[in-house]
Amino acid sequence: MASQLRLRSALALVTGAGSGIGRAVSVRLAKEGAAVAACDLDGAAAQETVRLLGGRGSKERAPQGNHVAFQADVSEARAVRRLLEQVQACFSRPPSVVVSCAGITRDDFLLHMSEDDWDRVIAVNLKGIFLVTQAAAQALVSSGCHGSIINISSIIGKVGNMGQTNYAASKAGVIGLTQTAARELGRHGIRCNSVLPGFISTPMTQKVPQKVLDKVTRMIPMGHLGDPEDVADVVAFLASEDSGYITGASVEVTGGLFM
Ligand SMILES: NC(=O)c1ccc[n+]([C@@H]2O[C@H](COP(=O)([O-])OP(=O)(O)OC[C@H]3O[C@@H](n4cnc5c(N)ncnc54)[C@H](O)[C@@H]3O)[C@@H](O)[C@H]2O)c1
């Protein structure tokens, strides 16, 4: 999709910005004119994303329109509160676009899955999105600003997947959380939508055995895995006023897989 400047006055907070989909989203939103607060658990990776965007890479005093890296663990309430405070202190406003891309997998079959693997995936993928959505919405409501919150779920949250009870449950939860947030926040001018990618070429899918990827690829009507930019295109649309009457939606970006 050709790049436009639909987000010229926006400040976008992107979590999981140090890799894969989060990095592609950061690049795309910056190309559309947004200032990007790029957050990741891996602070060096977030800084690298900001370097790609042509920003300063430090959280002290961002000049207008610049991009800044932040380090935070989205599964920790205190860290998320501090993140929102730092972003607001840095840019003198709350983020009007919030994209939660931070996510992990810890796969195992149901019969063998450990409590720790269950808890960690739910903590990052579901509680993390709750904490970021809540903190961002609180900041927007208290400053009277409108916004667009975009949560990255997964098609697996809709159809399940072998070896991913924890991941599927977390991603199904993200859809319900986002729909509920959309109902509650519409009156404040805050839209909330989720994006359900299929299989996208990122470090996350590099962990999937090639045999499984080949099998999945044969099931995709488009005939190939998606690129992170395919997801970023949809996120940019949902962030912009071009989607001004869309809220509570779950948009699939799957190449037709599991339609
Ligand atoms: N790649 C796919 O095929 C695919 C498909 C559907 C959904 N998704 C979802 O898209 C999102 C991005 O996935 P990706 O493929 O780009 O993965 P990725 O592994 O390339 O990137 C995930 C990023 O999240 C960060 N992160 C992990 N835990 C964090 C935490 N606690 N706090 C802050 N940051 C944290 C990581 O450091 C990493 O930079 C995830 O939510 C994932 O579940 C991916």
Side-chain angles (χ1 to χ4, degrees), residues 170-241:
S170 71
K171 295 300 186 179
V174 168
I175 297 170
L177 181 156
T178 306
Q179 287 170 329
T180 304
R183 287 180 188 275
E184 295 184 10
L185 298 174
R187 77 195 66 168
H188 298 288
I190 302 170
R191 298 184 295 110
C192 303
N193 294 289
S194 52
V195 175
L196 282 56
F199 281 75
I200 310 295
S201 298
T202 71
M204 183 177 274
T205 41
Q206 276 162 18
K207 289 189 277 180
V208 178
Q210 191 57 45
K211 211 171 69 180
V212 176
L213 287 181
D214 289 345
K215 195 174 156 202
V216 167
T217 304
R218 285 194 293 275
M219 293 162 62
I220 300 173
M222 297 290 288
H224 58 87
L225 263 57
D227 292 321
E229 291 73 21
D230 294 322
V231 181
D233 285 344
V234 175
V235 169
F237 166 70
L238 291 172
S240 78
E241 272 309 304

Coordinates of all heavy atoms in Angstrom, one line a residue, residues 170-241:
S170 N -4.9 -16.9 25.2 CA -4.5 -15.5 25.4 C -5.0 -14.7 24.3 O -5.5 -13.6 24.5 CB -3.0 -15.4 25.5 OG -2.3 -15.6 24.3
K171 N -5.0 -15.2 23.0 CA -5.4 -14.4 21.9 C -6.9 -14.3 21.7 O -7.4 -13.3 21.3 CB -4.7 -15.0 20.6 CG -3.2 -14.9 20.6 CD -2.7 -13.5 20.7 CE -1.2 -13.3 20.5 NZ -0.8 -11.9 20.5
A172 N -7.6 -15.4 22.2 CA -9.1 -15.3 22.2 C -9.5 -14.2 23.3 O -10.4 -13.4 23.0 CB -9.7 -16.6 22.6
G173 N -8.7 -14.2 24.4 CA -9.0 -13.2 25.4 C -8.8 -11.8 24.9 O -9.6 -10.9 25.3
V174 N -7.8 -11.6 24.1 CA -7.6 -10.3 23.5 C -8.8 -9.8 22.7 O -9.1 -8.6 22.7 CB -6.3 -10.3 22.7 CG1 -6.1 -9.0 21.9 CG2 -5.0 -10.5 23.6
I175 N -9.4 -10.7 21.9 CA -10.5 -10.3 21.1 C -11.7 -9.8 22.0 O -12.2 -8.7 21.8 CB -11.0 -11.4 20.2 CG1 -9.9 -11.8 19.2 CG2 -12.3 -11.1 19.5 CD1 -10.1 -13.1 18.5
G176 N -12.0 -10.6 23.1 CA -13.1 -10.2 24.0 C -12.8 -9.0 24.8 O -13.6 -8.1 24.9
L177 N -11.5 -8.8 25.2 CA -11.1 -7.6 25.9 C -11.3 -6.4 25.0 O -11.8 -5.4 25.5 CB -9.6 -7.8 26.3 CG -8.9 -6.7 27.1 CD1 -7.7 -7.3 27.9 CD2 -8.4 -5.5 26.3
T178 N -10.9 -6.5 23.8 CA -10.9 -5.4 22.9 C -12.3 -5.0 22.5 O -12.7 -3.8 22.5 CB -10.1 -5.7 21.6 OG1 -8.8 -6.1 22.0 CG2 -10.0 -4.5 20.7
Q179 N -13.2 -6.0 22.3 CA -14.6 -5.7 22.0 C -15.2 -5.0 23.2 O -16.0 -4.0 23.1 CB -15.4 -7.0 21.7 CG -15.0 -7.5 20.4 CD -15.6 -8.9 20.2 OE1 -15.7 -9.7 21.1 NE2 -15.9 -9.3 18.9
T180 N -14.9 -5.4 24.4 CA -15.5 -4.8 25.7 C -15.0 -3.4 25.8 O -15.7 -2.5 26.2 CB -15.1 -5.7 26.9 OG1 -15.6 -7.0 26.6 CG2 -15.8 -5.2 28.1
A181 N -13.6 -3.2 25.6 CA -13.1 -1.9 25.7 C -13.7 -1.0 24.7 O -14.0 0.2 25.0 CB -11.6 -1.9 25.5
A182 N -14.0 -1.5 23.5 CA -14.7 -0.7 22.4 C -16.1 -0.2 22.9 O -16.4 0.9 22.7 CB -14.8 -1.5 21.2
R183 N -16.8 -1.1 23.6 CA -18.1 -0.7 24.1 C -18.0 0.3 25.2 O -18.8 1.3 25.2 CB -18.8 -2.0 24.7 CG -19.3 -3.0 23.7 CD -19.9 -4.1 24.5 NE -20.3 -5.2 23.6 CZ -21.4 -5.3 22.8 NH1 -22.3 -4.4 22.9 NH2 -21.6 -6.3 22.0
E184 N -17.0 0.2 26.1 CA -16.9 1.1 27.2 C -16.3 2.5 26.8 O -16.6 3.5 27.4 CB -16.0 0.5 28.3 CG -16.6 -0.7 28.9 CD -15.8 -1.2 30.1 OE1 -14.8 -0.6 30.5 OE2 -16.1 -2.4 30.6
L185 N -15.4 2.5 25.8 CA -14.7 3.7 25.5 C -15.2 4.5 24.3 O -14.7 5.6 24.0 CB -13.2 3.3 25.3 CG -12.5 2.7 26.5 CD1 -11.1 2.2 26.1 CD2 -12.4 3.7 27.6
G186 N -16.2 3.9 23.6 CA -16.7 4.7 22.4 C -17.2 6.1 22.8 O -16.9 7.0 22.1
R187 N -17.8 6.2 24.0 CA -18.4 7.5 24.4 C -17.3 8.5 24.6 O -17.5 9.7 24.7 CB -19.3 7.3 25.6 CG -18.5 7.1 26.9 CD -19.3 6.6 28.0 NE -19.8 5.2 27.7 CZ -20.4 4.4 28.6 NH1 -20.7 4.8 29.8 NH2 -20.7 3.2 28.2
H188 N -16.0 8.0 24.8 CA -14.9 8.9 25.0 C -14.1 9.2 23.7 O -13.1 9.8 23.8 CB -13.9 8.3 26.1 CG -14.5 8.1 27.4 ND1 -14.8 9.2 28.3 CD2 -14.9 7.0 28.1 CE1 -15.4 8.7 29.4 NE2 -15.4 7.4 29.3
G189 N -14.7 8.7 22.6 CA -14.0 8.9 21.3 C -12.8 8.1 21.2 O -11.8 8.4 20.4
I190 N -12.7 7.0 21.8 CA -11.6 6.0 21.7 C -12.1 4.8 21.0 O -13.0 4.1 21.5 CB -11.0 5.7 23.1 CG1 -10.6 7.0 23.8 CG2 -9.8 4.7 22.9 CD1 -10.2 6.8 25.3
R191 N -11.5 4.5 19.9 CA -11.8 3.2 19.1 C -10.9 2.1 19.5 O -9.7 2.4 19.8 CB -11.8 3.5 17.6 CG -12.7 4.5 17.1 CD -12.7 4.7 15.6 NE -11.5 5.2 15.1 CZ -10.6 4.5 14.4 NH1 -10.8 3.3 14.1 NH2 -9.5 5.1 14.0
C192 N -11.4 0.9 19.6 CA -10.5 -0.3 20.0 C -10.8 -1.4 19.0 O -12.0 -1.8 18.8 CB -10.9 -0.8 21.4 SG -10.7 0.5 22.6
N193 N -9.8 -1.8 18.3 CA -9.9 -2.9 17.4 C -8.8 -3.9 17.5 O -7.7 -3.6 18.0 CB -9.9 -2.4 15.9 CG -11.1 -1.5 15.6 OD1 -12.2 -2.0 15.5 ND2 -10.8 -0.2 15.6
S194 N -9.1 -5.2 17.2 CA -8.0 -6.1 17.2 C -7.6 -6.6 15.8 O -8.5 -6.6 14.9 CB -8.3 -7.3 18.1 OG -9.5 -7.9 17.8
V195 N -6.4 -7.0 15.6 CA -5.9 -7.5 14.3 C -5.5 -9.0 14.5 O -4.9 -9.3 15.5 CB -4.7 -6.7 13.8 CG1 -4.2 -7.3 12.5 CG2 -5.2 -5.3 13.5
L196 N -6.0 -9.9 13.6 CA -5.7 -11.3 13.8 C -4.8 -11.7 12.6 O -5.3 -12.1 11.5 CB -7.0 -12.1 13.7 CG -7.9 -12.2 15.0 CD1 -8.3 -10.8 15.5 CD2 -9.2 -13.0 14.7
P197 N -3.5 -11.7 12.8 CA -2.6 -12.2 11.7 C -2.7 -13.7 11.7 O -3.0 -14.4 12.6 CB -1.2 -11.7 12.2 CG -1.4 -10.7 13.3 CD -2.7 -11.1 13.9
G198 N -2.4 -14.2 10.5 CA -2.3 -15.6 10.3 C -0.8 -16.0 10.5 O -0.3 -15.7 11.6
F199 N -0.1 -16.6 9.6 CA 1.3 -16.9 9.8 C 2.1 -15.8 9.0 O 2.1 -15.7 7.8 CB 1.6 -18.3 9.2 CG 1.2 -19.4 10.2 CD1 -0.2 -19.7 10.4 CD2 2.1 -20.0 11.0 CE1 -0.6 -20.7 11.3 CE2 1.7 -21.0 11.9 CZ 0.4 -21.3 12.1
I200 N 2.9 -15.1 9.8 CA 3.7 -14.0 9.3 C 5.2 -14.3 9.5 O 5.5 -14.8 10.6 CB 3.3 -12.7 10.1 CG1 1.8 -12.5 10.1 CG2 4.0 -11.5 9.5 CD1 1.1 -12.2 8.8
S201 N 6.0 -14.0 8.5 CA 7.4 -14.2 8.6 C 8.1 -13.3 9.6 O 8.3 -12.1 9.3 CB 8.1 -14.1 7.3 OG 7.6 -15.0 6.4
T202 N 8.4 -13.7 10.8 CA 9.0 -12.9 11.8 C 9.9 -13.9 12.7 O 9.8 -15.1 12.5 CB 8.0 -12.3 12.8 OG1 7.4 -13.3 13.6 CG2 6.9 -11.5 12.1
P203 N 10.7 -13.4 13.6 CA 11.4 -14.3 14.5 C 10.5 -15.3 15.2 O 11.0 -16.4 15.6 CB 12.1 -13.3 15.5 CG 12.4 -12.1 14.6 CD 11.1 -12.0 13.8
M204 N 9.3 -14.9 15.5 CA 8.4 -15.8 16.2 C 8.1 -17.0 15.4 O 8.1 -18.2 15.9 CB 7.0 -15.1 16.5 CG 6.1 -15.9 17.3 SD 4.6 -15.1 17.8 CE 5.1 -14.3 19.3
T205 N 7.8 -16.9 14.1 CA 7.5 -18.1 13.2 C 8.8 -18.8 12.8 O 8.7 -19.9 12.3 CB 6.7 -17.7 12.0 OG1 7.2 -16.4 11.5 CG2 5.2 -17.5 12.3
Q206 N 10.0 -18.1 13.0 CA 11.2 -18.8 12.7 C 11.4 -20.0 13.6 O 12.2 -20.9 13.3 CB 12.4 -17.9 12.8 CG 12.6 -17.1 11.5 CD 13.5 -15.9 11.7 OE1 14.2 -15.8 12.7 NE2 13.4 -14.9 10.7
K207 N 10.7 -20.0 14.8 CA 10.8 -21.1 15.7 C 10.0 -22.3 15.3 O 10.1 -23.4 15.9 CB 10.4 -20.6 17.1 CG 11.4 -19.7 17.8 CD 11.0 -19.4 19.2 CE 10.0 -18.3 19.4 NZ 9.6 -18.0 20.7
V208 N 9.0 -22.1 14.4 CA 8.2 -23.2 13.9 C 8.9 -24.1 13.0 O 9.6 -23.6 12.1 CB 6.9 -22.6 13.2 CG1 6.0 -23.7 12.7 CG2 6.2 -21.6 14.2
P209 N 8.9 -25.4 13.2 CA 9.6 -26.3 12.3 C 9.2 -26.1 10.8 O 8.0 -25.9 10.5 CB 9.2 -27.7 12.8 CG 8.7 -27.5 14.2 CD 8.1 -26.1 14.2
Q210 N 10.1 -26.2 9.9 CA 9.9 -26.0 8.5 C 8.8 -26.9 7.9 O 7.9 -26.5 7.1 CB 11.2 -26.2 7.7 CG 11.1 -25.7 6.2 CD 10.7 -24.2 6.1 OE1 11.2 -23.4 6.8 NE2 9.7 -23.9 5.2
K211 N 8.7 -28.1 8.5 CA 7.7 -29.1 8.0 C 6.3 -28.6 8.3 O 5.4 -28.7 7.5 CB 7.9 -30.4 8.8 CG 7.6 -31.7 8.1 CD 8.0 -32.9 8.8 CE 7.2 -33.1 10.1 NZ 7.5 -34.3 10.9
V212 N 6.2 -28.0 9.5 CA 4.8 -27.4 9.8 C 4.5 -26.2 9.0 O 3.4 -26.0 8.5 CB 4.8 -27.0 11.3 CG1 3.5 -26.3 11.7 CG2 5.1 -28.2 12.2
L213 N 5.5 -25.3 8.7 CA 5.3 -24.1 7.9 C 4.9 -24.5 6.5 O 4.1 -23.9 5.9 CB 6.6 -23.3 7.9 CG 6.9 -22.5 9.2 CD1 8.2 -21.7 9.0 CD2 5.8 -21.6 9.6
D214 N 5.6 -25.6 6.0 CA 5.3 -26.0 4.6 C 3.8 -26.5 4.5 O 3.1 -26.2 3.6 CB 6.2 -27.2 4.2 CG 7.6 -26.7 3.9 OD1 7.8 -25.5 3.8 OD2 8.5 -27.6 3.9
K215 N 3.4 -27.2 5.6 CA 2.0 -27.7 5.6 C 1.0 -26.6 5.7 O 0.0 -26.5 5.0 CB 1.9 -28.6 6.9 CG 0.6 -29.5 6.9 CD 0.6 -30.5 8.0 CE -0.8 -30.9 8.3 NZ -1.0 -31.4 9.7
V216 N 1.3 -25.6 6.6 CA 0.4 -24.4 6.7 C 0.4 -23.6 5.4 O -0.7 -23.2 4.9 CB 1.0 -23.5 7.8 CG1 0.3 -22.1 7.8 CG2 0.8 -24.1 9.2
T217 N 1.5 -23.5 4.7 CA 1.6 -22.7 3.5 C 0.7 -23.3 2.4 O 0.0 -22.6 1.7 CB 3.0 -22.6 3.0 OG1 3.8 -22.1 4.0 CG2 3.1 -21.7 1.8
R218 N 0.6 -24.6 2.4 CA -0.3 -25.3 1.4 C -1.7 -25.0 1.7 O -2.6 -25.1 0.8 CB 0.0 -26.8 1.4 CG 1.3 -27.2 0.7 CD 1.4 -28.7 0.5 NE 1.4 -29.5 1.7 CZ 2.6 -29.8 2.3 NH1 3.7 -29.4 1.9 NH2 2.5 -30.6 3.4
M219 N -2.0 -24.6 3.0 CA -3.4 -24.3 3.3 C -3.8 -22.9 3.1 O -5.0 -22.5 3.2 CB -3.7 -24.7 4.8 CG -3.6 -26.1 5.1 SD -3.3 -26.4 6.9 CE -4.8 -25.7 7.6
I220 N -2.8 -22.0 2.8 CA -3.1 -20.6 2.6 C -3.5 -20.3 1.2 O -2.7 -20.5 0.3 CB -1.9 -19.7 3.0 CG1 -1.4 -20.0 4.4 CG2 -2.1 -18.2 2.8 CD1 -0.1 -19.4 4.9
P221 N -4.8 -19.8 1.0 CA -5.2 -19.5 -0.4 C -4.2 -18.6 -1.2 O -4.0 -18.8 -2.4 CB -6.6 -18.8 -0.2 CG -7.1 -19.5 1.1 CD -5.9 -19.6 1.9
M222 N -3.6 -17.6 -0.5 CA -2.7 -16.7 -1.1 C -1.3 -17.4 -1.4 O -0.5 -16.9 -2.1 CB -2.4 -15.5 -0.3 CG -3.6 -14.6 0.0 SD -4.2 -13.7 -1.5 CE -2.9 -12.5 -1.7
G223 N -1.1 -18.6 -0.9 CA 0.0 -19.5 -1.2 C 1.3 -19.1 -0.6 O 2.4 -19.7 -0.9
H224 N 1.4 -18.2 0.4 CA 2.6 -17.9 1.0 C 2.3 -17.2 2.4 O 1.2 -16.7 2.6 CB 3.5 -16.9 0.2 CG 2.8 -15.6 -0.1 ND1 2.8 -14.5 0.7 CD2 2.0 -15.2 -1.2 CE1 2.1 -13.5 0.1 NE2 1.6 -13.9 -1.0
L225 N 3.4 -17.2 3.3 CA 3.2 -16.6 4.6 C 3.1 -15.1 4.3 O 3.6 -14.5 3.3 CB 4.5 -16.9 5.4 CG 4.4 -18.0 6.4 CD1 4.0 -19.3 5.8 CD2 5.7 -18.2 7.2
G226 N 2.6 -14.4 5.3 CA 2.5 -12.9 5.2 C 3.8 -12.3 5.6 O 4.6 -12.9 6.3
D227 N 4.0 -11.0 5.3 CA 5.1 -10.2 5.7 C 4.6 -9.3 6.9 O 3.4 -8.9 6.9 CB 5.7 -9.3 4.6 CG 6.3 -10.2 3.5 OD1 7.0 -11.1 3.9 OD2 6.1 -9.9 2.3
P228 N 5.5 -8.9 7.8 CA 5.1 -8.0 8.9 C 4.4 -6.7 8.3 O 3.5 -6.1 8.9 CB 6.4 -7.6 9.6 CG 7.3 -8.7 9.2 CD 6.9 -9.3 7.9
E229 N 4.9 -6.3 7.1 CA 4.3 -5.1 6.5 C 2.8 -5.2 6.1 O 2.1 -4.3 6.1 CB 5.1 -4.7 5.2 CG 6.5 -4.2 5.5 CD 7.5 -5.3 5.9 OE1 7.2 -6.5 5.6 OE2 8.5 -5.0 6.5
D230 N 2.4 -6.5 5.8 CA 1.0 -6.7 5.5 C 0.1 -6.4 6.7 O -1.0 -5.9 6.6 CB 0.8 -8.2 5.2 CG 1.5 -8.6 3.8 OD1 1.5 -7.8 2.9 OD2 2.0 -9.7 3.8
V231 N 0.7 -6.7 7.9 CA -0.1 -6.4 9.2 C 0.0 -4.9 9.4 O -1.0 -4.2 9.8 CB 0.5 -7.2 10.4 CG1 -0.2 -6.9 11.6 CG2 0.5 -8.7 10.1
A232 N 1.2 -4.3 9.2 CA 1.4 -2.9 9.4 C 0.5 -2.0 8.6 O -0.1 -1.0 9.0 CB 2.8 -2.5 9.2
D233 N 0.2 -2.5 7.3 CA -0.7 -1.7 6.5 C -2.1 -1.6 7.1 O -2.8 -0.6 7.1 CB -0.9 -2.5 5.1 CG 0.3 -2.3 4.2 OD1 1.1 -1.5 4.4 OD2 0.3 -3.2 3.3
V234 N -2.6 -2.7 7.7 CA -3.9 -2.7 8.3 C -3.9 -1.9 9.6 O -4.9 -1.2 9.9 CB -4.4 -4.2 8.6 CG1 -5.7 -4.3 9.3 CG2 -4.5 -4.9 7.2
V235 N -2.8 -2.0 10.4 CA -2.7 -1.2 11.6 C -2.8 0.3 11.3 O -3.5 1.0 11.9 CB -1.4 -1.6 12.4 CG1 -1.2 -0.6 13.5 CG2 -1.5 -3.0 12.9
A236 N -2.1 0.7 10.2 CA -2.1 2.1 9.8 C -3.5 2.6 9.5 O -3.9 3.7 9.8 CB -1.1 2.3 8.7
F237 N -4.2 1.7 8.8 CA -5.6 2.0 8.4 C -6.4 2.2 9.7 O -7.2 3.2 9.9 CB -6.2 0.9 7.5 CG -7.7 1.0 7.4 CD1 -8.3 2.0 6.7 CD2 -8.4 0.0 8.0 CE1 -9.7 2.0 6.6 CE2 -9.8 0.0 7.8 CZ -10.4 1.0 7.1
L238 N -6.3 1.3 10.6 CA -7.1 1.3 11.9 C -6.7 2.5 12.8 O -7.5 3.0 13.6 CB -7.0 0.0 12.7 CG -7.6 -1.2 12.0 CD1 -7.3 -2.5 12.8 CD2 -9.2 -1.0 12.0
A239 N -5.4 2.9 12.7 CA -4.9 4.0 13.4 C -5.5 5.4 12.9 O -5.6 6.3 13.6 CB -3.4 4.1 13.4
S240 N -5.7 5.4 11.6 CA -6.1 6.6 10.9 C -7.6 6.9 10.9 O -8.4 6.0 11.2 CB -5.6 6.6 9.5 OG -6.5 5.8 8.7
E241 N -8.0 8.1 10.6 CA -9.4 8.5 10.5 C -10.1 7.8 9.3 O -11.3 7.9 9.2 CB -9.5 10.0 10.4 CG -9.6 10.6 11.8 CD -10.6 10.0 12.7 OE1 -11.8 9.9 12.4 OE2 -10.2 9.5 13.8

